[in-house]
Amino acid sequence: MKLFNRDLSWLSFNYRVLMEAMDDSVPLLERLRFIAIYSSNLDEFFRVRVASIRNIKEIDKKKINKRLDFNAKTLLGDIHVEVKTQLDEYGKILDHIVKELANNKHVICTHTDQIPKELGTDLLHYFKTHVSAFLRPISIDNAKTLFLDNQAIYLVIKTEEQKSFLVNIPTNHLPRFSKYHFKDETYYVFLDDVIRQHADLLFPGMKITGMHAIKLNKDADLQIDDEFSGNLVRKIEKQIQKRNLGSPSRFLFDSEIDEEMLKILGEKLKLAAEDMVVGGRYHNLNDFFQISISDPKLVYPQQSPIRSSDLEKSRSILERIESQDHLLHFPYQSYDYILQFFNEASIDPDVEEINVTFYRMAKNSLIGESLISAAKNGKKVAVFMEVKARFDEQNNLEWAIKMKEAGVKVIYSLPGLKVHAKVALVKKKDIMYGFFGTGNLNEKTSEIYCDHGLLTVNKSMTQELSYVFEHLLTKYTPPPFEQLIVSQFGAYEKFIEKIDREVKHAESGKEARIIIKVNNLQEQALINKLYEACEKGVDIKLIVRSICCVVPNENLKVKRIVDRYLEHGRIFYFHNDDAQEVYLGSADWMERNLHRRIEVCFPIHDDLMKQELLTILKFQWKDDIKGVWLSPEMKNDRPEKEGKVRAQTATYEYLKDQYG
């Protein structure tokens, strides 16, 4: 059956992000942040996915698979065409946002001519005192080959004396923007332009004739032997250092740079024609995140996390969990209760053991600190640290070392697998407390990611969770899971069974319904099952934020929501002849999640909690303000009718009524 290509589908999602930057109803600074998100997303896409496709093509040159070589070439061509189309629109949107910000007296100077002459003294002082300390010009003419740092930006400077140089723009040491108040306006000056204005000080006696920005993306995927032996930490650290040496995946250059210089750079950087991508005057526009404006009309209105009156009144969160399960929805509800869960476990004298999985830790993790305290307080603490979490390897390693030094038992990545589960287990002599989540144990991302977390003492669930940890810590083979759905232990088969069960109900004339909410949907066999179930009369609703390889039709619709917060929770609903099974979990329906990771999905037993989740899903399915329909042409189609439902706003108001 027909499937969308995963990479082109992802580009469709990133265009949906760009649509938020176009939306006049979004506050101006937030629109600029969506520009930054789009830029950051696209950068990672080239560093990881495009580099991976290019690697496939390179393998094919050795005649391993001629057909794959053709497909890879075709796909790369399709990607570049789509990206170019999007970037043309991106430039126009950015220009509009910059003009509107200027109308609000916040001027982002996009050319040196826009910088008031009165700021000249301050900029010269800044250049002489700070900027020049980090500038390291390199002669292009004298170099046989050139080396550019991954993602770093440079100026190519040409002189009338027929000399050319590379000058680094040191954003790894200095802010990208300098902020100045002049008259009644605020000016934001690119670091690039601070250097441009004073480049003559770098090349005394020469006349500069051209200055153009360039940037090189490189393959950023770590090449780690999954069947590793020896010291994994050292291998990871070594590969992180090698990330800067990866193969080129995209060379961005200012469209006004001359052809002769481009040819010279291509030769000295050993670039292929397909590496060369026309860009604008400035690169790395994810740095727009650095611009902060306090004007309330330019940002989203403040939305304080909802506190639970039940949990607030109790002196012990563990005691409250003993009396009833607590389902929390972030960032609408306060993440403080998760911090309190770990903090109390670390000081409670009756707690004997704490087990946790980490995939992406916060840089200044309070949970990490509480686990260190627990170990120092004599508890047996074991942490499974995934050190293959892309771009978080270094931070995870640093935390692992810090916790290990404090007496925490740290177990690292498993051969051939990533552990993506978001779970924790606190053990007393006669009771166990479980945390089951859809998102990382990370208090920073909890402020902007929509996720769900369950705190429970359910004996069956916590016992099965203890089997998961025993497997991670000792390679123990657990008995069959009855409550939890665990990747590597029949998760794929269980989802297939649940779809087949709905088909049987439909065929026997009963009501049959499936609702799947995930970040990514790509696993081919499950998609084929959904197609089959739809044809047999099962009512299927799909809410997929990012990659979706399902091709929608009249009976199988796909909703995509991009709004203030990143939709990240995974929810699986099966009507089951009105028994209504609801699962939450860490697993997307991707090949990697179901076949190459350890994931934990968990049931919601409480009927009120089920209805709460179904209400949230109802808001999302009806969202006609920030929700779009994925079309059979892979477009983001806005609803035809005037928007009335905004899921994230409705969810916040609903939960405030329930718990506020």
Side-chain angles (χ1 to χ4, degrees), residues 476-569:
Y476 161 81
T477 302
F481 290 98
E482 301 294 335
Q483 292 282 322
L484 306 182
I485 298 178
V486 183
S487 294
Q488 308 306 312
F489 297 96
Y492 165 80
E493 290 80 7
K494 283 189 177 180
F495 283 127
I496 292 288
E497 287 172 10
K498 292 179 186 302
I499 297 172
D500 284 340
R501 186 180 59 197
E502 294 300 317
V503 169
K504 288 180 181 177
H505 290 321
E507 289 177 333
S508 61
K510 296 178 180 178
E511 185 176 356
R513 187 182 309 121
I514 295 171
I515 306 173
I516 304 295
K517 187 209 170 180
V518 288
N519 298 326
N520 302 294
L521 177 51
Q522 171 263 341
E523 212 285 338
Q524 187 167 344
L526 283 170
I527 291 174
N528 288 337
K529 273 290 174 185
L530 291 174
Y531 286 151
E532 177 189 331
C534 180
E535 289 173 0
K536 296 290 179 63
V538 179
D539 177 24
I540 299 176
K541 294 180 172 66
L542 302 177
I543 304 171
V544 186
R545 170 175 54 83
S546 185
I547 296 168
C548 182
C549 296
V550 170
V551 179
N553 57 48
E554 287 186 10
N555 300 315
L556 183 59
K557 295 186 181 298
V558 180
K559 174 66 66 83
R560 172 179 280 158
I561 297 172
V562 174
D563 198 355
R564 174 177 185 168
Y565 305 121
L566 181 81
E567 292 293 339
H568 193 256

Side-chain angles (χ1 to χ4, degrees), residues 331-348:
Y332 310 110
Q333 292 177 280
S334 176
Y335 201 76
D336 290 351
Y337 306 118
I338 306 304
L339 302 181
Q340 291 172 17
F341 173 75
F342 286 101
N343 291 344
E344 184 176 334
S346 72
I347 60 174
D348 186 327

Side-chain angles (χ1 to χ4, degrees), residues 447-462:
E447 297 173 1
I448 54 173
Y449 283 26
C450 292
D451 273 306
H452 313 278
L454 178 70
L455 294 165
T456 183
V457 292
N458 180 287
K459 288 184 178 180
S460 299
M461 291 173 66
T462 55

Side-chain angles (χ1 to χ4, degrees), residues 398-657:
E398 289 171 4
W399 267 108
I401 292 166
K402 185 177 180 180
M403 288 192 285
K404 201 169 186 177
E405 288 173 349
V408 174
K409 181 179 181 180
V410 178
I411 308 297
Y412 297 108
S413 302
L414 299 174
L417 295 171
K418 283 185 181 180
V419 176
H420 192 247
K422 328 293 189 184
V423 289
L425 188 66
V426 172
K427 296 181 181 180
K428 291 183 179 179
K429 189 173 183 179
D430 54 356
I431 192 170
M432 292 189 287
Y433 308 79
F435 169 80
F436 297 85
T438 66
N440 293 306
L441 283 162
N442 183 319
E443 59 269 29
K444 190 65 181 173
T445 55
S446 72
E447 297 173 1
I448 54 173
Y449 283 26
C450 292
D451 273 306
H452 313 278
L454 178 70
L455 294 165
T456 183
V457 292
N458 180 287
K459 288 184 178 180
S460 299
M461 291 173 66
T462 55
Q463 183 60 57
E464 290 192 1
L465 183 55
S466 73
Y467 296 152
V468 174
F469 278 108
E470 200 171 345
H471 171 72
L472 294 177
L473 299 173
T474 69
K475 300 182 181 178
Y476 161 81
T477 302
F481 290 98
E482 301 294 335
Q483 292 282 322
L484 306 182
I485 298 178
V486 183
S487 294
Q488 308 306 312
F489 297 96
Y492 165 80
E493 290 80 7
K494 283 189 177 180
F495 283 127
I496 292 288
E497 287 172 10
K498 292 179 186 302
I499 297 172
D500 284 340
R501 186 180 59 197
E502 294 300 317
V503 169
K504 288 180 181 177
H505 290 321
E507 289 177 333
S508 61
K510 296 178 180 178
E511 185 176 356
R513 187 182 309 121
I514 295 171
I515 306 173
I516 304 295
K517 187 209 170 180
V518 288
N519 298 326
N520 302 294
L521 177 51
Q522 171 263 341
E523 212 285 338
Q524 187 167 344
L526 283 170
I527 291 174
N528 288 337
K529 273 290 174 185
L530 291 174
Y531 286 151
E532 177 189 331
C534 180
E535 289 173 0
K536 296 290 179 63
V538 179
D539 177 24
I540 299 176
K541 294 180 172 66
L542 302 177
I543 304 171
V544 186
R545 170 175 54 83
S546 185
I547 296 168
C548 182
C549 296
V550 170
V551 179
N553 57 48
E554 287 186 10
N555 300 315
L556 183 59
K557 295 186 181 298
V558 180
K559 174 66 66 83
R560 172 179 280 158
I561 297 172
V562 174
D563 198 355
R564 174 177 185 168
Y565 305 121
L566 181 81
E567 292 293 339
H568 193 256
R570 291 88 167 179
I571 307 175
F572 310 93
Y573 169 83
F574 302 93
H575 187 68
N576 192 24
D577 196 20
D578 212 28
Q580 299 200 103
E581 288 185 349
V582 180
Y583 287 83
L584 303 175
S586 60
D588 283 322
W589 277 10
M590 298 276 285
E591 287 183 17
R592 67 188 184 197
N593 298 90
L594 296 171
H595 304 298
R596 299 193 300 275
R597 291 185 176 183
I598 289 183
E599 309 272 8
V600 174
C601 297
F602 51 96
I604 299 299
H605 294 297
D606 183 90
D607 287 338
L608 290 177
M609 289 182 184
K610 288 182 185 180
Q611 291 309 310
E612 192 168 282
L613 288 164
L614 287 172
T615 299
I616 292 171
L617 287 173
K618 182 180 177 181
F619 291 147
Q620 294 182 347
W621 190 249
K622 290 191 171 184
D623 190 327
D624 50 7
I625 296 176
K626 295 300 179 181
V628 299
W629 299 109
L630 186 62
S631 79
E633 295 76 37
M634 218 188 306
K635 304 295 184 184
N636 296 282
D637 287 349
R638 289 195 179 277
E640 294 179 3
K641 296 181 181 178
E642 181 183 352
K644 293 182 179 179
V645 178
R646 184 173 177 177
Q648 292 188 0
T649 302
T651 299
Y652 180 73
E653 294 301 325
Y654 167 71
L655 292 173
K656 194 161 65 172
D657 288 343

Side-chain angles (χ1 to χ4, degrees), residues 105-107 109 114-120 122 179-189:
K105 300 186 183 302
H106 291 276
V107 182
C109 300
Q114 292 181 288
I115 303 170
K117 292 179 180 178
E118 291 83 354
L119 298 180
D122 287 340
K179 186 176 180 179
Y180 299 94
H181 300 286
F182 178 65
K183 294 184 178 179
D184 63 342
E185 295 182 312
T186 302
Y187 288 83
Y188 304 86
V189 181

Side-chain angles (χ1 to χ4, degrees), residues 247-275:
S247 303
S249 60
R250 180 175 65 155
F251 178 74
L252 273 174
F253 57 90
D254 185 333
S255 61
E256 295 186 7
I257 197 169
D258 64 86
E259 288 293 329
E260 181 186 357
M261 178 51 66
L262 266 185
K263 183 179 178 183
I264 292 169
L265 290 171
E267 289 172 355
K268 298 200 174 193
L269 289 166
K270 295 180 168 52
L271 300 174
E274 59 195 7
D275 296 325

